């Protein structure tokens, strides 16, 4: 559970939210499968094994090892992860196709999502009737459960499905042996309110745990996941860094921090590993993060603004939570927007002795360089400025 003394969000959330559910929410990671669908990303078997171990060490509850029938490399990756002895549950991915299930059985995978599209738009695109799809769902789920696989039925595009057919599809899956269901916002179109409606509807009609799997096409991935949890979802599916097709999936690190810090709902993620995990995924996927990204962005605890630097000594005044909660370090950087306090902090950090009455002159040089070069001023550049200042005074730096 998060250290509340390091969360500086005031009391407005408690006033708005109480009473609030407090049950622990499970995190189901699909970085190795759905995350790899990010355009241009290729993760080899050894990459996936390394990432699976990092996810496990960070406290992710379930790791979707992949879809073994995609390629020989994906098959090998699942094989390696199944044999890695992880604490996390290792899950597979399958379409409502017997050959997909057979591959999971061969690999010794004991749990898997089984997907089928359930929106009329998807069915029309495939040329499949509702009744035919219901038959496929029943057949695939029963085939998997008869072979000892624990099934969570994954209704593709369920956020755009006719609600009556939504009910029928999930009921058919549960009747055939699915022990969990996943409500899926495939195209990221669900508002938080819609996410809550769909999860509530599933819970009202089915006596099984409900997952939420959402995408971020409208920038609502985290918000929809939170709403789904408030409506009773006990599992959130997502990826590290929000990787995934199109605009990506809900970012599990963002979801976990929001649940714990803003809603008081626990997860088992070790948030102190958040940034290291995020960086590892970005490196292996060769997908750098924008510096302003929530939770894991490079700029989150770095300050250039002089007005903010004047309050840098008091973290709760300028930050919503302590940097150590997510394994980050605080710092001041120099550039066009720096102030006198920025200069003083930077000089102290670097052990440079410049009289206070010369700080304004040094600040002017920093602002000039930052403006001309259209970037931050490096430590080496600041040292050279100090050297020039000292020489002008006839002194050594």
């Amino acid at each position: 559970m998060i250290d509340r003394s390091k969360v500086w969000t005031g009391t407005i959330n408690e006033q708005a939210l109480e009473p609030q559910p407090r049950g622990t929410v499970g995190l189901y990671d699909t970085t190795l499968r759905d995350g790899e669908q990010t355009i241009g990303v290729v993760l080899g078997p050894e990459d996936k094994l390394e990432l699976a171990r990092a996810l496990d060490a960070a406290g992710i509850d379930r790791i979707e090892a992949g879809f073994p029938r995609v390629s020989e490399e994906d098959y090998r990756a699942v094989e390696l992860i199944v044999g890695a002895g992880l604490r996390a549950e290792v899950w597979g991915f399958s379409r409502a196709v017997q050959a997909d299930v057979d591959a999971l059985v061969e690999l010794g995978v004991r749990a898997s999502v089984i997907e089928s599209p359930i929106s009329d738009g998807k069915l029309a695109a495939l040329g499949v009737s509702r009744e035919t799809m219901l038959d496929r769902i029943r057949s695939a789920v029963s085939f998997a459960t008869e072979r000892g696989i624990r099934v969570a039925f994954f209704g593709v595009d369920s956020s755009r499905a006719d609600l009556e057919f939504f009910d029928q599809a999930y009921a058919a899956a549960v009747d055939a042996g699915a022990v969990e269901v996943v409500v899926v916002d495939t195209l990221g179109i669900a508002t938080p309110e819609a996410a809550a409606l769909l999860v509530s509807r599933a819970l009202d009609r089915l006596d099984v745990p409900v997952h939420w799997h959402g995408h971020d096409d409208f920038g609502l991935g985290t918000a929809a996941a939170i709403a789904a949890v408030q409506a009773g979802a006990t599992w959130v599916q997502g990826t590290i860094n929000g990787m995934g097709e199109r605009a990506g999936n809900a970012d599990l690190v963002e979801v976990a921090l929001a649940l714990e810090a803003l809603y008081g709902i626990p997860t088992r993620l070790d948030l102190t590993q958040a940034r290291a995990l995020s960086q590892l995924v970005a490196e292996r996927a060769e997908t750098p993060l924008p510096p302003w990204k929530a939770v894991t962005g490079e700029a989150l605890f770095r300050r250039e603004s002089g007005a903010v630097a004047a309050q840098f000594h008091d973290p709760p005044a300028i930050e919503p939570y302590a940097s150590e909660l997510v394994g980050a370090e605080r710092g001041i950087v120099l550039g066009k927007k720096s102030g006198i306090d920025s200069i003083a902090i930077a000089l102290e950090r670097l052990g440079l002795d410049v009289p206070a009455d010369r700080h304004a002159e040094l600040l002017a040089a920093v602002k000039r360089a930052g403006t001309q070069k259209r970037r931050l001023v490096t430590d080496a550049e600041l040292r050279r400025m100090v050297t020039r200042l000292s020489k002008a005074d006839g002194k050594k730096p």
Side-chain angles (χ1 to χ4, degrees), residues 28 63-69 74-83 89-94 100-114 143-151:
Y28 178 113
I63 298 169
E64 191 172 274
F67 182 13
R69 291 198 70 217
D74 287 88
Y75 188 98
R76 176 59 177 158
V78 176
E79 184 176 41
L80 288 173
I81 294 167
V82 168
E89 292 181 17
V90 176
W91 281 58
F93 182 87
S94 170
D100 289 2
V101 176
D102 284 334
L104 298 175
V105 174
E106 288 175 7
L107 287 162
V109 177
R110 308 309 301 166
S112 181
V113 295
I114 290 184
F143 183 79
T145 56
E146 287 166 4
R147 282 151 185 79
I149 293 180
R150 182 181 180 188
V151 173

Side-chain angles (χ1 to χ4, degrees), residues 10 24 27 82-83 106 114 199 216 223 225 255 286 343 345 364 382 391:
T24 299
L27 300 178
V82 168
E106 288 175 7
I114 290 184
V199 168
D216 200 36
V255 171
E286 298 183 7
I343 297 297
I345 293 169
L382 180 63
K391 286 181 177 179

Side-chain angles (χ1 to χ4, degrees), residues 230-265:
Q230 288 189 296
T234 48
W235 289 92
V236 173
Q237 297 193 359
T239 62
I240 304 303
N241 297 340
M243 290 176 63
E245 198 169 11
R246 303 185 321 280
N249 293 51
D251 185 326
L252 282 185
V253 172
E254 287 184 14
V255 171
L257 181 63
L259 284 173
E260 298 215 23
L262 300 180
Y263 291 82
I265 299 174

Side-chain angles (χ1 to χ4, degrees), residues 217-396:
D217 296 72
F218 284 83
L220 293 174
T222 296
I226 299 297
V229 168
Q230 288 189 296
T234 48
W235 289 92
V236 173
Q237 297 193 359
T239 62
I240 304 303
N241 297 340
M243 290 176 63
E245 198 169 11
R246 303 185 321 280
N249 293 51
D251 185 326
L252 282 185
V253 172
E254 287 184 14
V255 171
L257 181 63
L259 284 173
E260 298 215 23
L262 300 180
Y263 291 82
I265 299 174
T267 72
R268 283 173 283 269
L269 185 67
D270 180 358
L271 284 163
T272 65
Q273 297 189 46
R275 291 170 79 87
L277 180 59
S278 169
Q279 184 177 1
L280 178 63
V281 171
E283 289 174 354
R284 294 297 173 268
E286 298 183 7
T287 53
L289 298 180
W292 52 81
K293 182 166 174 54
V295 189
T296 54
E298 181 70 21
L300 197 61
F301 294 98
R302 301 170 73 198
R303 298 290 184 269
E304 181 186 356
S305 167
V308 176
Q311 306 170 56
F312 191 73
H313 63 285
D314 186 8
I318 58 173
E319 292 156 11
Y321 54 88
S323 58
E324 58 264 32
L325 280 183
V326 293
E329 294 183 2
R330 304 176 72 236
I332 289 291
V333 294
L334 299 180
K336 172 188 173 183
K337 298 176 282 294
S338 295
I340 286 291
D341 291 283
S342 310
I343 297 297
I345 293 169
L347 292 174
E348 181 179 5
R349 176 175 61 81
L350 295 173
L352 298 174
D353 184 16
V354 176
D357 62 0
R358 305 305 300 276
H359 286 191
E361 187 177 345
L362 189 57
L363 174 61
V366 165
K367 283 179 169 289
R368 187 164 53 251
T371 301
Q372 291 173 350
K373 297 179 180 183
R374 299 172 66 89
R375 60 167 173 79
L376 296 177
V377 172
T378 68
D379 288 349
E381 289 170 331
L382 180 63
R383 288 181 187 276
R384 288 195 291 272
M385 291 176 188
V386 170
T387 297
R388 286 194 293 270
L389 197 66
S390 298
K391 286 181 177 179
D393 289 341
K395 300 177 183 179
K396 293 183 179 180

